[in-house]
Amino acid sequence: MKKFINYLMVVICVFTLGISLAGCGEKSFNDVPWSASNKSSAEILSILDDSKMNMEASKLQTKYKATTIFEFFDVGSFSKMQIREETSFILQFGSRETLSQVQSSKYIDNVLSEETTDIYVANGASSIVYRTQRTFSDGELTSESKTKFNSSTSPQNIYTKYIFIQSDTLSGIVSKKFEDVDYYRLTANSNECNTLMSKFTQVDNLQQNPQMFALSNKQTDLLMGYNVEYGISDKNYITYFALSYRLENNEKSGQNSFETFLKYSTSVTLEQFGQTVEFPEQPTDRDYN
């Protein structure tokens, strides 16, 4: 009996080892290193524009998922807090008369505070937006409202709000290929960060009104660590977008020393495309104010 148990243990060990070795051959995205790219910033932007035109020409139906994080720190007039927005948006490229949908959930320190669903009924360059909004306290639903309004936003504007094609030339460029997708990362040096910061909007009470490309004070804030990434598939679709940067100021630490008060990041992934994408039904006017 003892010999049989020993033999059984050996068989289990060999079987487990075989599984672990088989798993070792699988590479993840992070296992593939970035390397210097032979393409310029202008060439990469041209590739992105071509990809967008390809999706428009094919009238591609898409569903993207976006995660945006505003991480505030206890620096100067700011206090430690994380605001996270989880968003999915559905649209058809190249169509000016279609339904589009944006669903967003907002979390403050990982507690749900707000949910919004916008359905865009497009007519040319404008839309009627049907909005359902829910607010929460300590994760519990406290109110719900349904409204409709006119908007100048078209389906293409929805796309560009979440996927930003960099117009500036950035000097740091690396690339890699993973699962038939070409990835490019563009990084701004300190001089390029200064140029980019001049295009940021100054927002009062930034912690209560966080926005992409917004800062608190143009006189004291400093933009650092600016990175943007794109993924273009072998079908010539934009399948991935990421942007990150941090803002520093010297409110607390003195004139010559800066501390990070905000880390911003967003990542967007193409979850679905083609005829399998499920679009919303057109709302009934009588259900909305």
Side-chain angles (χ1 to χ4, degrees), residues 29-30 32-35 174-178 181-184:
F29 177 81
N30 291 328
V32 180
W34 294 95
S35 59
V174 292
S175 63
K176 64 176 166 179
K177 193 175 187 71
F178 180 73
V181 177
D182 290 307
Y183 292 91
Y184 301 95

Side-chain angles (χ1 to χ4, degrees), residues 67-71 242-245 263-267:
T67 299
T68 299
I69 297 175
F70 300 87
E71 188 80 36
L243 174 69
S244 63
Y245 58 80
K263 286 184 178 179
Y264 171 87
S265 67
T266 188
S267 63

Side-chain angles (χ1 to χ4, degrees), residues 206-226:
L206 181 62
Q207 188 157 2
Q208 297 303 314
N209 302 284
Q211 302 170 35
M212 181 169 67
F213 303 135
L215 46 71
S216 175
N217 189 323
K218 288 192 174 184
Q219 303 303 315
T220 62
D221 292 355
L222 189 66
L223 175 65
M224 299 288 288
Y226 187 98

Side-chain angles (χ1 to χ4, degrees), residues 19 36 55 92 118 130 148 155 190 197 230 257 273 277 280 284:
I19 293 176
M55 291 189 289
Q92 181 177 11
D118 287 339
Y130 294 83
K148 69 175 181 177
S190 57
M197 190 174 68
Y230 304 99
S257 181
F273 62 87
V277 176
T284 304

Side-chain angles (χ1 to χ4, degrees), residues 24 42 64 76 80 104 130 132 158 167 198 207-208 211 220 241 244 283:
C24 290
Y64 285 90
K80 184 175 176 58
S104 181
Y130 294 83
T132 301
I158 297 170
S167 60
S198 67
Q207 188 157 2
Q208 297 303 314
Q211 302 170 35
T220 62
F241 166 77
S244 63

Side-chain angles (χ1 to χ4, degrees), residues 50-211:
D50 179 68
S51 179
K52 183 180 177 183
M53 286 189 291
N54 174 57
M55 291 189 289
E56 290 176 354
S58 60
K59 296 190 180 298
L60 186 66
Q61 298 181 173
T62 60
K63 179 181 181 181
Y64 285 90
K65 173 69 180 296
T67 299
T68 299
I69 297 175
F70 300 87
E71 188 80 36
F72 288 94
F73 297 90
D74 188 15
V75 172
S77 58
F78 297 92
S79 57
K80 184 175 176 58
M81 182 175 72
Q82 185 195 83
I83 300 171
R84 187 178 86 253
E85 296 173 357
E86 301 283 353
T87 306
S88 68
F89 56 104
I90 296 170
L91 65 100
Q92 181 177 11
F93 280 86
S95 177
R96 289 181 171 271
E97 296 182 3
T98 186
L99 293 175
S100 303
Q101 178 177 279
V102 179
Q103 291 183 306
S104 181
S105 298
K106 180 179 178 181
Y107 298 83
I108 298 177
D109 291 331
N110 293 319
V111 178
L112 180 64
S113 67
E114 188 177 291
E115 287 181 341
T116 304
T117 299
D118 287 339
I119 298 176
Y120 292 77
V121 181
N123 181 15
S126 63
S127 302
I128 298 175
V129 181
Y130 294 83
R131 172 170 291 177
T132 301
Q133 192 163 33
R134 300 180 178 91
T135 57
F136 298 81
S137 177
D138 295 325
E140 296 293 327
L141 179 65
T142 57
S143 67
E144 178 178 299
S145 63
K146 289 192 172 188
T147 57
K148 69 175 181 177
F149 52 91
N150 294 320
S151 172
S152 60
T153 300
S154 70
Q156 297 306 311
N157 297 138
I158 297 170
Y159 165 81
T160 54
K161 177 182 177 181
Y162 291 94
I163 297 180
F164 173 71
I165 297 181
Q166 190 78 38
S167 60
D168 306 86
T169 299
L170 305 184
S171 56
I173 305 171
V174 292
S175 63
K176 64 176 166 179
K177 193 175 187 71
F178 180 73
E179 293 185 348
D180 298 322
V181 177
D182 290 307
Y183 292 91
Y184 301 95
R185 176 189 287 169
L186 289 72
T187 302
N189 62 29
S190 57
N191 289 332
E192 291 160 351
C193 279
N194 289 335
T195 300
L196 289 167
M197 190 174 68
S198 67
K199 301 178 181 181
F200 276 48
T201 302
Q202 183 168 305
V203 174
D204 293 334
N205 200 350
L206 181 62
Q207 188 157 2
Q208 297 303 314
N209 302 284
Q211 302 170 35

Side-chain angles (χ1 to χ4, degrees), residues 10-37:
V10 170
V11 170
I12 292 173
C13 289
V14 169
F15 180 75
T16 304
L17 179 61
I19 293 176
S20 63
L21 289 175
C24 290
E26 297 177 5
K27 282 189 175 182
S28 68
F29 177 81
N30 291 328
D31 291 329
V32 180
W34 294 95
S35 59
S37 175

